[in-house]
């Protein structure tokens, strides 16, 4: 029997058993759709982490005060130490290592007031270098002034969202705002496309680092960002930075050095493993659908004894009967897989519409794997009923149909 004839015969058999076909199609579609959805959520989590880390380039190192040792491959996130990371440490790094862009960071929260409006906001103390290290874009006015690190001036640059909330459509340049009980003059506004792992720059206020230290009574720095201006090995640069800091800390490198690329690689590895795990859980439903297909097809072989006997009486071989049943399983699996992909992609589109900030995405390999797995599992679980149908004797099949 030709392949097209076998497909036509199998399709006609499925149309005669519409309820059975619809049940199997639904089971396979739900299984494939769940695999697609779970994979999309896992990939979306990876994309989200990559976006959150994109605020820093791969050539930026982060220095945290305090030494934190970790095991198991996870990079350190926090550190504890009796010694602060200071502006003097920053100046020493700039003297000892050329071709670096260094941006300090002092972090605090304050009430921001203008006229009758007030907002609670994060205050970032830094220098103009933070615009380069964190990829901030100036919208109007000026960046932070290029002044000595120890100089505290009452000027600030507002994030675009905060400026809109405080001044609406008015021009904020030259206006005075209050941070706690101190007045600062607005010299510019900026924006950023990154949320910096939850910290939205557009809702912050940038002031000179010495002004932030005075405002929050914080002699130490929260972070120090170091960006190389020339191509060089970041691992070697990190070792050199630790050595230079140890020169000022009595020979102890009591700081923690982070590389965004290594952090991102670690998170990607973890999230990829989790994606495979949840995809595997979803794939279990495919096996359940395969078992369901096998049971229904076993029942079908007994219900179709007359049909099988007639095929055998007309000269159909065991292989032909087997191929007809396997062809039915293939059509069901393929059709259910395609419907499942459509359902899964529709759910992903709906999720992306409801949560536009979460970059959900279906990897191509996941779609292909889900469809292929559905077909393979369908054929594997259809082998037993197909073999049973093929082994039936023509006379016994015809007799069994009349009993």
């Amino acid at each position: 029997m030709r392949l097209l004839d076998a497909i036509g015969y199998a399709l006609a058999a499925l149309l005669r058993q519409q309820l059975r076909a619809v049940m199997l199609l639904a089971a396979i579609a739900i299984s494939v759709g769940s695999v697609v959805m779970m994979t999309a959520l896992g990939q979306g989590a990876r994309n989200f982490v990559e976006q959150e880390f994109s605020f820093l380039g791969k050539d930026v190192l982060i220095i945290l005060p305090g030494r934190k040792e970790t095991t198991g491959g996870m990079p350190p996130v926090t550190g504890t130490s009796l010694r602060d990371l200071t502006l003097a440490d920053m100046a020493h790094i700039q003297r000892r290592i050329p071709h670096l862009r260094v941006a300090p960071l002092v972090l605090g929260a304050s009430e921001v007031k203008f006229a009758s409006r007030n907002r609670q906001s994060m205050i970032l103390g830094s220098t103009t270098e933070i615009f380069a290290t964190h990829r901030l874009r100036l919208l109007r006015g000026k960046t932070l002034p290029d002044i000595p690190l120890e100089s505290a001036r009452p000027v600030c640059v507002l994030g675009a969202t905060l400026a809109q909330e405080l001044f609406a459509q008015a021009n904020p340049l030259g206006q005075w705002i209050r941070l706690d009980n101190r007045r600062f003059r607005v010299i510019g506004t900026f924006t950023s496309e990154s949320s910096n792992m939850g910290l939205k720059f557009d809702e912050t206020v940038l002031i000179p680092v010495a002004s932030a230290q005075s405002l929050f009574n914080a002699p130490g720095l929260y972070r120090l960002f170091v960006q190389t201006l020339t191509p060089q090995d970041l691992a070697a640069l990190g070792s050199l930075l630790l050595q230079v800091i140890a020169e000022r800390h009595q020979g102890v490198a009591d700081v923690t050095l982070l590389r965004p690329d290594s952090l991102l690689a670690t998170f990607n590895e973890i999230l990829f493993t989790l994606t495979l795990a949840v995809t595997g859980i979803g794939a279990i439903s495919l096996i359940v659908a395969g078992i369901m297909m096998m049971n229904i097809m076993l029942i079908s072989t007994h219900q179709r004894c007359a049909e099988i006997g007639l095929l055998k009486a007309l000269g159909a071989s065991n292989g032909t009967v087997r191929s007809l049943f396997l062809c039915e399983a293939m059509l069901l699996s393929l059709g259910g897989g395609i419907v499942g992909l459509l359902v899964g992609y529709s759910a992903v589109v709906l999720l992306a519409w409801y949560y536009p900030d979460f970059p959900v995405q279906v990897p191509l390999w996941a779609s292909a794997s889900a469809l292929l797995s559905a077909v393979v599992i369908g054929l594997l679980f259809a082998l037993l009923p197909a073999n049973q149908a093929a082994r039936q004797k023509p006379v016994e099949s015809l007799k069994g149909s009349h009993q």
Side-chain angles (χ1 to χ4, degrees), residues 240-263:
L240 182 57
L241 284 169
L242 293 176
Q243 178 184 341
V244 169
I245 291 174
E247 294 174 358
R248 285 188 43 84
H249 292 196
Q250 284 79 48
V252 180
D254 52 356
V255 295
T256 300
L257 189 71
L258 300 182
R259 286 171 47 191
D261 59 339
S262 63
L263 282 172

Side-chain angles (χ1 to χ4, degrees), residues 60-61 63 85-87 89-95 97-105 126-130 132-133 149 221 223-229 241:
V60 177
L61 301 177
I63 303 176
L85 188 63
T86 64
L87 290 175
D89 295 329
M90 172 182 167
H92 183 67
I93 291 174
Q94 290 176 312
R95 286 194 302 268
I97 308 177
H99 309 300
L100 291 183
R101 176 183 287 124
V102 186
L105 181 64
S126 189
T127 65
T128 188
E129 302 292 357
I130 196 172
T133 59
L149 294 175
L221 301 176
R223 296 286 188 272
L224 197 61
F225 299 92
V226 180
Q227 183 179 35
T228 175
L229 300 178
L241 284 169

Side-chain angles (χ1 to χ4, degrees), residues 145-276:
D146 188 10
I147 56 178
L149 294 175
E150 298 79 10
S151 178
R153 290 191 184 177
V155 295
C156 67
V157 185
L158 298 181
T161 302
L162 183 60
Q164 172 67 27
E165 292 175 350
L166 291 177
F167 296 94
Q169 302 301 323
N171 185 0
L173 298 184
Q175 300 291 337
W176 290 86
I177 63 172
R178 282 191 174 272
L179 306 180
D180 284 342
N181 60 344
R182 303 191 186 187
R183 298 173 71 234
F184 286 79
R185 184 168 60 88
V186 180
I187 61 173
T189 61
F190 71 94
T191 187
S192 171
E193 296 180 356
S194 171
S195 62
N196 189 5
M197 298 300 287
L199 176 61
K200 295 184 178 180
F201 275 96
D202 281 3
E203 300 176 358
T204 63
V205 182
L206 277 177
I207 62 176
V209 60
S211 301
Q213 288 181 318
S214 175
L215 180 65
F216 300 115
N217 191 25
L221 301 176
Y222 177 70
R223 296 286 188 272
L224 197 61
F225 299 92
V226 180
Q227 183 179 35
T228 175
L229 300 178
T230 58
Q232 56 181 301
D233 182 57
L234 290 186
L237 176 59
S239 300
L240 182 57
L241 284 169
L242 293 176
Q243 178 184 341
V244 169
I245 291 174
E247 294 174 358
R248 285 188 43 84
H249 292 196
Q250 284 79 48
V252 180
D254 52 356
V255 295
T256 300
L257 189 71
L258 300 182
R259 286 171 47 191
D261 59 339
S262 63
L263 282 172
L264 182 58
T266 302
F267 277 112
N268 269 335
E269 183 179 348
I270 294 172
L271 290 173
F272 183 70
T273 303
L274 289 176
T275 300
L276 291 181

Side-chain angles (χ1 to χ4, degrees), residues 62-85:
I62 309 171
I63 303 176
L64 292 70
R67 186 69 179 171
K68 182 68 174 180
E69 298 292 342
T70 62
T71 58
M74 274 297 294
V77 177
T78 60
T80 58
S81 175
L82 298 177
R83 188 188 301 275
D84 289 328
L85 188 63

Side-chain angles (χ1 to χ4, degrees), residues 297-306 308 325 388 392 400-401:
M297 290 190 70
L298 282 172
I299 297 173
S300 177
T301 57
H302 294 290
Q303 295 176 340
R304 297 165 65 183
C305 287
I308 297 171
F325 275 81
Q388 281 197 3
Q392 289 185 16
S401 64

